[in-house]
Amino acid sequence: MKTDAPGASESSPDRQTQALFNSMAEGVLVLDNSGRIQLANPSLQRLFSVPGDLRGQTPLAAFGSEELAGLVQRLDRERAIHGFELAWRGADVRWLGVNAAAVFDDQGKRRGSILVFQELTRLKELEKTRQEFVANVSHELRTPLSLIKGFVETLLEGAKNDPELATRFLQTIDKHADRLTYLIEDLLTISRLESGQIVMNLDAVDLREEVARVVDDLQARATEKKVAMENRLPPGLGARADADRLQQVLFNLVENAIKYGRNEGRVSIGGEAIAGKKIKLWVQDDGPGIPAESKDRIFERFYRVDRARSRETGGTGLGLSIVKHIVQAHGGEVWVKSELGQGASFFFTLPQI
């Protein structure tokens, strides 16, 4: 706004308003009564990735969004619009929340409009994750519950009178009841890990001894598939870790290697000291490997490379996600290397003693 005196500078209130808009985290767009841009603050230009001076342009010309242009036109009929969600399709699809209002002077004459934009993309992603999580949990719970209910109904309808058949059905019910228990325990574990409720009790651990315990616990499962397990940890290699949580990490990785590796195959567990006072450990199998498109998602909750095979072999679909959270809680990293037909190797790091 100019003063009446020629050559006068902007008034102090206008400079203050400009400074306020420029400091806002939200994007601000001010339009005059003809719908052309009077002000677009730096946050707005960052949101839309549009540099340069936008003053005098229409929103459609400046941002190329028909949806935004339509929102501005609605202000000719509505005094205010709240909670509008705008899909901005730039390099990536992003979501912006918009609150807009027509601006009137003291005499009720329309002077323009103002739009305030807020980044919603992260909230949208979290909501999508929540919906997928609920859908996956519902599915994982429904499958064993349906089987349990089916077998119970069959027993009640007369199968209980056949001792051999009844025993077989009860064994199946027991198996799926265990599956439900494991799922609930894993859900509680990952919830506590994500919320930071589980505190890592770090202490010196002998890694070869920890691996030996896991190998012993899983020996029966390995024997069923005629899988040979090798503990290749060098004696005396130690790390600072929570022994119970480390057992959980190793158990999940070795169990997966047995489950998804080939029959009569080999599972190798190794480790070494690396730069940065860290220990790198790995679990390697000689199974079918992991497709390239799955490697980036393998540590997501409920993600399965082969859903049909995973249903057949059991499991909750949360094991690798739990592994990731436990390792990260130790200040470490976890990753996978794999080529189709050449097995898979899962790596993670721990702080050295």
Side-chain angles (χ1 to χ4, degrees), residues 174-189:
D174 184 59
K175 171 187 171 183
H176 288 289
D178 284 343
R179 181 177 170 185
L180 285 173
T181 300
Y182 298 146
L183 174 60
I184 292 168
E185 287 176 350
D186 280 354
L187 284 169
L188 290 172
T189 297

Side-chain angles (χ1 to χ4, degrees), residues 85 88 92-96 119-134 300-301:
E85 293 186 357
W88 171 245
D92 298 305
V93 176
R94 297 166 63 198
W95 287 90
L96 304 174
E119 178 71 78
L120 296 181
T121 305
R122 179 59 179 159
L123 291 176
K124 284 286 187 179
E125 290 172 349
L126 290 172
E127 176 62 17
K128 181 181 177 182
T129 299
R130 185 194 66 80
Q131 291 173 348
E132 290 176 350
F133 179 71
V134 170
E300 292 179 13
R301 292 174 296 188

Side-chain angles (χ1 to χ4, degrees), residues 51-304:
D53 189 352
L54 304 179
R55 288 177 297 181
Q57 300 184 51
T58 64
L60 179 60
F63 305 109
S65 171
E66 294 281 358
E67 194 175 9
L68 179 57
L71 176 64
V72 172
Q73 289 177 356
R74 281 178 56 187
L75 290 173
D76 293 335
R77 308 184 301 273
E78 305 173 43
R79 296 179 71 95
I81 300 169
H82 299 289
F84 184 85
E85 293 186 357
L86 173 69
W88 171 245
R89 292 171 174 81
D92 298 305
V93 176
R94 297 166 63 198
W95 287 90
L96 304 174
V98 189
N99 292 313
V103 178
F104 298 86
D105 61 19
D106 294 339
Q107 284 72 45
K109 183 179 179 181
R110 174 77 178 270
R111 305 297 295 178
S113 52
I114 183 169
L115 297 87
V116 179
F117 298 75
Q118 189 174 27
E119 178 71 78
L120 296 181
T121 305
R122 179 59 179 159
L123 291 176
K124 284 286 187 179
E125 290 172 349
L126 290 172
E127 176 62 17
K128 181 181 177 182
T129 299
R130 185 194 66 80
Q131 291 173 348
E132 290 176 350
F133 179 71
V134 170
N136 281 324
V137 170
S138 300
H139 180 78
E140 295 295 334
L141 290 171
R142 188 183 298 116
T143 301
L145 282 173
S146 297
L147 289 168
I148 289 170
K149 184 172 176 57
F151 281 112
V152 169
E153 288 175 349
T154 305
L155 285 168
L156 292 173
E157 288 169 1
K160 64 180 182 296
N161 298 320
D162 182 336
E164 183 179 345
L165 188 61
T167 299
R168 184 156 54 87
F169 280 10
L170 288 170
Q171 287 172 339
T172 303
I173 290 170
D174 184 59
K175 171 187 171 183
H176 288 289
D178 284 343
R179 181 177 170 185
L180 285 173
T181 300
Y182 298 146
L183 174 60
I184 292 168
E185 287 176 350
D186 280 354
L187 284 169
L188 290 172
T189 297
I190 201 164
S191 175
R192 292 171 65 199
L193 283 166
E194 289 181 339
S195 63
Q197 293 179 18
I198 294 180
V199 178
M200 297 295 148
N201 298 312
L202 301 182
D203 203 353
V205 296
D206 186 301
L207 295 172
R208 184 174 177 84
E209 289 181 6
E210 297 299 327
V211 170
R213 293 190 183 97
V214 171
V215 168
D216 186 59
D217 289 343
L218 290 168
Q219 188 59 61
R221 298 188 196 188
T223 300
E224 287 177 10
K225 290 189 66 176
K226 300 180 180 179
V227 171
M229 292 187 288
E230 296 179 335
N231 182 352
R232 302 180 65 180
L233 270 291
L237 186 65
R240 283 184 56 78
D242 183 311
D244 291 336
R245 296 301 169 186
L246 176 58
Q247 283 279 309
Q248 201 169 1
V249 168
L250 291 168
F251 189 95
N252 280 334
L253 292 178
V254 176
E255 183 185 40
N256 275 0
I258 295 169
K259 186 187 299 183
Y260 299 113
R262 64 182 179 88
N263 292 335
E264 301 182 14
R266 186 173 301 276
V267 173
S268 176
I269 308 102
E272 63 182 1
I274 60 174
K277 294 186 178 181
K278 292 183 179 180
I279 300 293
K280 180 173 72 174
L281 295 98
W282 60 85
V283 176
Q284 185 176 33
D285 66 59
D286 54 3
I290 300 170
E293 64 271 16
S294 296
K295 285 189 284 189
D296 289 339
R297 300 191 60 193
I298 199 76
F299 295 100
E300 292 179 13
R301 292 174 296 188
F302 295 112
Y303 183 79
R304 289 182 168 99

Side-chain angles (χ1 to χ4, degrees), residues 33-55:
N33 199 32
S34 65
R36 294 186 177 274
I37 297 171
Q38 280 188 317
L39 180 147
N41 74 342
S43 292
L44 181 74
Q45 293 186 270
R46 284 194 295 271
L47 283 174
F48 284 94
S49 300
V50 178
D53 189 352
L54 304 179
R55 288 177 297 181

